Amino acid sequence: MFKTIADPADCEVRSVIRFLNPNNVKQSEINRQLIEIYGENVMTDGMVRKWVRPFNDGRTNVHDEARSGQHSVVSDDLVAKVNEKIGENRRFTIRMLCDEFPQISKAVLHENVTNRLNYRKR
């Protein structure tokens, strides 16, 4: 028995699928070989089948495609209003800003104040 490889990258497993697929290896055999090398929890048989289809259709990229995330509720205009509020009271807290801007969560507000506006606690 071989030593299993723990925590393989997703693209590594997909590369194995891409390598074995054109050699007329059955999907169930690909799954069996993946489990033998990477362990029981590497990928289900259904996921192997899901990845074989695009490779049969000509896909060559083994990496995930970029996905558009959820659109942010924080616009540049809203960030400018937050900056204006901070200018009115330099002794602000994130909690005070949350009361002024209830449409923005505390975490998102903190991220924008520290990363976009570059304010730091003193």
Side-chain angles (χ1 to χ4, degrees):
M1 179 85 188
F2 300 107
K3 182 179 177 188
T4 60
I5 300 172
D7 296 326
D10 291 339
C11 60
E12 178 182 349
V13 176
R14 292 177 202 145
S15 295
V16 173
I17 295 170
R18 183 174 170 233
F19 173 76
L20 293 173
N21 186 46
N23 296 328
N24 295 325
V25 178
K26 293 181 181 178
Q27 295 168 355
S28 58
E29 178 61 20
I30 292 173
N31 189 41
R32 190 196 63 71
Q33 289 184 28
L34 287 173
I35 290 172
E36 185 178 313
I37 298 300
Y38 295 108
E40 285 291 324
N41 298 326
V42 64
M43 188 179 279
T44 64
D45 189 47
M47 287 302 292
V48 171
R49 293 177 193 281
K50 179 184 177 240
W51 278 101
V52 165
R53 259 182 252 121
F55 292 138
N56 284 339
D57 292 340
R59 179 178 175 152
T60 58
N61 188 1
V62 295
H63 299 284
D64 287 327
E65 294 175 354
R67 292 181 267 176
S68 61
Q70 188 175 16
H71 295 290
S72 177
V73 297
V74 182
S75 64
D76 291 335
D77 185 43
L78 198 53
V79 172
K81 288 179 183 176
V82 170
N83 195 24
E84 190 177 301
K85 234 356 149 178
I86 292 171
E88 291 173 11
N89 179 10
R90 299 291 290 182
R91 298 182 70 148
F92 71 94
T93 63
I94 297 297
R95 183 166 287 135
M96 289 167 51
L97 290 174
C98 283
D99 293 339
E100 295 289 328
F101 301 97
Q103 69 271 33
I104 308 174
S105 71
K106 184 177 178 182
V108 171
L109 194 56
H110 182 269
E111 179 184 336
N112 280 283
V113 167
T114 56
N115 294 341
R116 285 179 78 174
L117 297 175
N118 294 320
Y119 287 107
R120 300 285 181 251
K121 186 176 180 180
R122 297 220 178 215

